[in-house]
């Protein structure tokens, strides 16, 4: 038995409630189990119970073993003076239960609930509860996905607001770094953000009309222009970068781009060239994102093609067959989901405009679902998604609930553990 599971059982009253008797022999009726306390102090606050017909109001403490009351030194902590009930799985301190009302739940909890919880915790599958998912109704899924997508966007918005603070409360710099991070993908996102931080938006804006200079700044700061190269265009980039590095006293960054198991169209050189073209065609990011009335207005600005040199190159070193380096539908969707929409939500939080936050939710609900390996896995298990709102909710569920085995915090897990599984 885990204390968190015992707290869940008490909170939901998932135990036999008839003829409750304390270790001292008093009759117990639970009027209100109290409010779960996530801070310091007793586990549940403001509970109400009847002991032999007398009403008691106060707090409830939960332990697996009653002796943990002493182990945790609650007897000397004034915060526990108003505990009216000690709920335990096993009473191994009978002298304590003679003075502190104690309820033992060991024989009052359904074996079905305990078995299913153990199965969830021991599941070897990547999706913990996949064998039971057919039991979940569409309406129940819909409500949980709505909560999950808000958690996901709120978390990303919080990260963006922290970035905004670290950028001296400059939205242009924050959005520039945020865009760079997601253009770098999971593999190179951290280093792309470092590159962007070393090139403040005011510097990039000064060279907006010169895409070659923008490329030189980005490729140079990414340590991709250091080696000799016979190509005239690369030599031009090197000269431009040397001049601009000296002019702005740009810091040297330590690190290098990775290409492991990466498609050539996603190589860091290509993505940096596309970022240069985004600056060339669009300029400051945050203003246009916030002013856009429709998501399609932003989508058009993200549909760009890297400079002509990249039609014949995936890297600076080697030529390749002709292939213009468009951002493409998949990348644009990822930028909308991970960059634009979280920014809109963060701006709504920062400006205290709930309408902007709801607009972000509406926008993600208007995009088609992603079709990656994880979403296909959910689909095979019976959890479908038609919109990006649903697919992002499933990604959130897998990453922050399933992988951490937070079944007791998950609506699906709680559903599977609740009645009618009680005997």
């Amino acid at each position: 038995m885990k204390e968190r599971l015992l707290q869940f059982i008490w909170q939901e009253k998932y135990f036999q409630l008839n003829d409750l008797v304390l270790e001292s022999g008093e009759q117990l009726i639970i009027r209100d189990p109290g409010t779960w306390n996530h801070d310091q102090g007793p586990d549940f606050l403001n509970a109400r119970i009847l002991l032999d017909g007398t009403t008691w109001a106060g707090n409830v403490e939960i332990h697996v073993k009653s002796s943990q009351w002493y182990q945790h030194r609650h007897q000397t902590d004034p915060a526990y003076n108003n505990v009216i009930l000690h709920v335990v799985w096993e009473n191994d301190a009978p002298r304590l239960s003679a003075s502190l009302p104690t309820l033992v739940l060991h024989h009052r909890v359904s074996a079905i609930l305990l078995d299913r919880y153990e199965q969830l915790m021991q599941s070897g599958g990547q999706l913990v509860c996949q064998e039971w998912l057919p039991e979940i109704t569409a309406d129940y899924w819909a409500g949980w996905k709505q909560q999950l997508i808000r958690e996901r966007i709120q978390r990303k918005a919080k990260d963006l607001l922290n970035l905004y603070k670290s950028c001296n409360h400059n939205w242009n710099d924050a959005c520039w770094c945020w865009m760079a991070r997601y253009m770098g993908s999971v593999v190179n996102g951290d280093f792309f953000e470092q590159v962007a931080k070393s090139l403040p938006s005011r510097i990039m804006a000064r060279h907006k009309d010169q895409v070659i200079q923008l490329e030189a700044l980005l490729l140079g700061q990414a340590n991709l222009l250091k080696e000799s190269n016979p190509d005239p265009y690369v030599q031009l980039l090197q000269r431009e970068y040397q001049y601009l590095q000296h002019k702005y006293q740009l810091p040297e960054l330590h690190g290098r781009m990775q290409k492991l198991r990466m498609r050539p169209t996603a190589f860091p050189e290509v993505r940096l060239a596309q970022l240069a073209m985004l600056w060339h065609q669009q300029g400051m990011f945050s203003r246009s994102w916030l002013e856009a009335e429709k998501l399609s207005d932003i989508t058009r600005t993200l549909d760009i093609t890297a400079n002509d040199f990249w039609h014949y190159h995936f890297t600076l070193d080697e030529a390749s067959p002709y292939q213009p380096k468009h951002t493409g539908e998949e990348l644009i969707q990822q930028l909308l989901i991970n960059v634009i929409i979280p920014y809109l939500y963060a701006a709504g939080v920062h400006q205290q405009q709930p309408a902007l936050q709801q607009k972000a939710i509406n926008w993600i609900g208007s995009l088609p679902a992603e079709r990656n390996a994880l979403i296909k896995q959910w689909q095979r298990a019976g959890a479908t998604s038609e919109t990006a709102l649903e697919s992002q909710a499933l990604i959130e569920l897998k990453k922050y609930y399933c992988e951490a085995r937070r079944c007791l915090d998950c609506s699906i897990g709680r559903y599977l553990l609740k009645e009618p599984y009680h005997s």
Side-chain angles (χ1 to χ4, degrees), residues 140-264:
Y140 199 88
W141 260 122
W144 181 219
K145 286 176 180 176
Q146 283 287 336
Q147 182 176 333
L148 285 167
I149 194 61
R150 288 192 178 274
E151 287 183 14
R152 188 164 182 81
I153 295 181
Q154 285 169 0
R155 184 168 39 75
K156 289 184 177 181
K158 182 179 179 181
D159 291 341
L160 182 50
L161 286 167
N162 289 334
L163 181 59
Y164 164 71
K165 293 175 184 176
S166 72
C167 291
N168 296 316
H169 298 85
N170 186 315
W171 274 121
N172 288 324
D173 284 346
C175 289
W176 162 222
C177 292
W178 194 252
M179 171 64 83
R181 163 172 283 278
Y182 281 95
M183 282 291 284
S185 74
V186 175
V187 177
N188 292 308
D190 287 343
F191 195 46
F192 266 53
E193 185 176 326
Q194 287 185 50
V195 170
K197 283 184 176 179
S198 73
L199 294 167
S201 59
R202 58 180 176 79
I203 291 179
M204 299 296 287
R206 288 176 188 171
H207 300 275
K208 176 183 179 301
D209 296 332
Q210 299 294 326
V211 69
I212 293 176
Q213 292 181 342
L214 294 171
E215 279 188 26
L217 285 166
L218 290 169
L219 293 167
Q221 283 301 99
N223 298 321
L224 294 171
L225 294 176
K226 289 185 175 181
E227 298 181 7
S228 61
N229 192 306
D231 189 288
Y233 183 75
V234 178
Q235 291 179 358
L236 173 61
L237 290 174
Q238 289 173 329
R239 290 194 298 271
E240 290 286 352
Y241 176 65
Q242 289 171 3
Y243 167 74
L244 294 169
Q245 183 188 37
H246 177 74
K247 178 180 179 179
Y248 294 116
Q249 293 295 296
L250 298 177
E252 182 178 357
L253 301 183
H254 301 286
R256 59 183 301 175
M257 300 297 180
Q258 304 296 323
K259 299 178 183 177
L260 184 64
R261 294 188 294 274
M262 187 178 292
R263 293 175 297 173

Side-chain angles (χ1 to χ4, degrees), residues 383-422:
T384 60
S385 53
E386 299 298 326
T387 69
L389 183 152
E390 294 178 295
S391 60
Q392 282 284 293
L394 291 177
I395 292 171
E396 182 77 3
L397 178 57
K398 171 63 166 60
K399 186 173 181 180
Y400 291 94
Y401 287 85
C402 297
E403 291 182 3
R405 292 295 194 267
R406 292 178 56 205
C407 300
L408 297 178
D409 298 316
C410 169
S411 283
I412 302 301
R414 295 168 75 91
Y415 180 92
L416 294 174
L417 293 171
K418 76 175 186 178
E419 292 182 297
Y421 300 112
H422 298 162

Side-chain angles (χ1 to χ4, degrees), residues 184-368:
S185 74
V186 175
V187 177
N188 292 308
D190 287 343
F191 195 46
F192 266 53
E193 185 176 326
Q194 287 185 50
V195 170
K197 283 184 176 179
S198 73
L199 294 167
S201 59
R202 58 180 176 79
I203 291 179
M204 299 296 287
R206 288 176 188 171
H207 300 275
K208 176 183 179 301
D209 296 332
Q210 299 294 326
V211 69
I212 293 176
Q213 292 181 342
L214 294 171
E215 279 188 26
L217 285 166
L218 290 169
L219 293 167
Q221 283 301 99
N223 298 321
L224 294 171
L225 294 176
K226 289 185 175 181
E227 298 181 7
S228 61
N229 192 306
D231 189 288
Y233 183 75
V234 178
Q235 291 179 358
L236 173 61
L237 290 174
Q238 289 173 329
R239 290 194 298 271
E240 290 286 352
Y241 176 65
Q242 289 171 3
Y243 167 74
L244 294 169
Q245 183 188 37
H246 177 74
K247 178 180 179 179
Y248 294 116
Q249 293 295 296
L250 298 177
E252 182 178 357
L253 301 183
H254 301 286
R256 59 183 301 175
M257 300 297 180
Q258 304 296 323
K259 299 178 183 177
L260 184 64
R261 294 188 294 274
M262 187 178 292
R263 293 175 297 173
T265 53
F267 278 0
E269 295 94 327
V270 174
R271 291 291 189 244
L272 290 170
Q274 290 169 336
L275 270 175
M277 187 58 71
L278 271 175
W279 264 106
H280 179 58
Q281 293 188 359
Q282 182 178 338
M284 294 295 187
F285 297 124
S286 60
R287 188 181 306 119
S288 60
W289 297 347
L290 202 57
E291 293 173 353
E293 295 184 4
K294 298 180 294 183
L295 192 57
S296 58
D297 295 337
I298 299 177
T299 302
R300 284 192 292 271
T301 68
L302 299 176
D303 187 8
I304 57 94
T305 304
N307 203 16
D308 293 353
F309 171 83
W310 300 98
H311 295 351
Y312 300 92
H313 292 80
F314 289 103
T315 69
L316 292 164
D317 302 323
E318 187 177 347
S320 61
Y322 176 80
Q323 182 181 346
K325 304 307 185 292
H326 305 295
T327 41
E329 184 177 329
E330 183 179 346
L331 175 59
I332 290 174
Q333 184 184 32
Q334 289 304 307
L335 294 177
L336 292 173
I337 290 172
N338 294 302
V339 180
I340 311 302
I341 290 172
Y343 166 67
L344 190 67
Y345 195 96
V349 172
H350 183 255
Q351 298 176 15
Q352 297 183 338
Q353 292 189 33
L356 280 179
Q357 299 172 49
Q358 187 58 49
K359 186 178 179 181
I361 300 292
N362 294 342
W363 275 5
I364 200 168
S366 70
L367 292 170

Side-chain angles (χ1 to χ4, degrees), residues 55-205:
T55 299
W56 290 75
N59 305 326
V60 175
E61 179 65 7
I62 310 288
H63 285 127
V64 176
K65 295 183 176 183
S66 55
S67 61
Q68 291 173 317
W69 178 271
Y70 295 122
Q71 293 174 15
H72 300 164
R73 302 184 182 279
H74 295 331
Q75 73 276 14
T76 60
D77 189 341
Y80 292 82
N81 289 347
N82 197 31
V83 168
I84 59 172
L85 184 64
H86 193 200
V87 178
V88 301
W89 186 251
E90 175 187 347
N91 182 20
D92 64 342
R95 295 180 64 180
L96 174 66
S97 61
S99 58
L100 178 65
T102 302
L103 175 67
V104 177
L105 293 184
H106 180 72
H107 300 295
R108 292 185 169 272
V109 178
S110 165
I112 298 175
L113 183 153
L114 297 176
D115 288 344
R116 178 160 286 193
Y117 177 77
E118 188 64 22
Q119 286 178 281
L120 289 173
M121 292 298 102
Q122 299 301 325
S123 172
Q126 291 183 322
L127 302 180
V128 174
C129 57
Q130 60 184 12
E131 64 179 281
W132 297 296
L133 289 182
E135 300 176 14
I136 310 302
T137 66
D139 287 344
Y140 199 88
W141 260 122
W144 181 219
K145 286 176 180 176
Q146 283 287 336
Q147 182 176 333
L148 285 167
I149 194 61
R150 288 192 178 274
E151 287 183 14
R152 188 164 182 81
I153 295 181
Q154 285 169 0
R155 184 168 39 75
K156 289 184 177 181
K158 182 179 179 181
D159 291 341
L160 182 50
L161 286 167
N162 289 334
L163 181 59
Y164 164 71
K165 293 175 184 176
S166 72
C167 291
N168 296 316
H169 298 85
N170 186 315
W171 274 121
N172 288 324
D173 284 346
C175 289
W176 162 222
C177 292
W178 194 252
M179 171 64 83
R181 163 172 283 278
Y182 281 95
M183 282 291 284
S185 74
V186 175
V187 177
N188 292 308
D190 287 343
F191 195 46
F192 266 53
E193 185 176 326
Q194 287 185 50
V195 170
K197 283 184 176 179
S198 73
L199 294 167
S201 59
R202 58 180 176 79
I203 291 179
M204 299 296 287

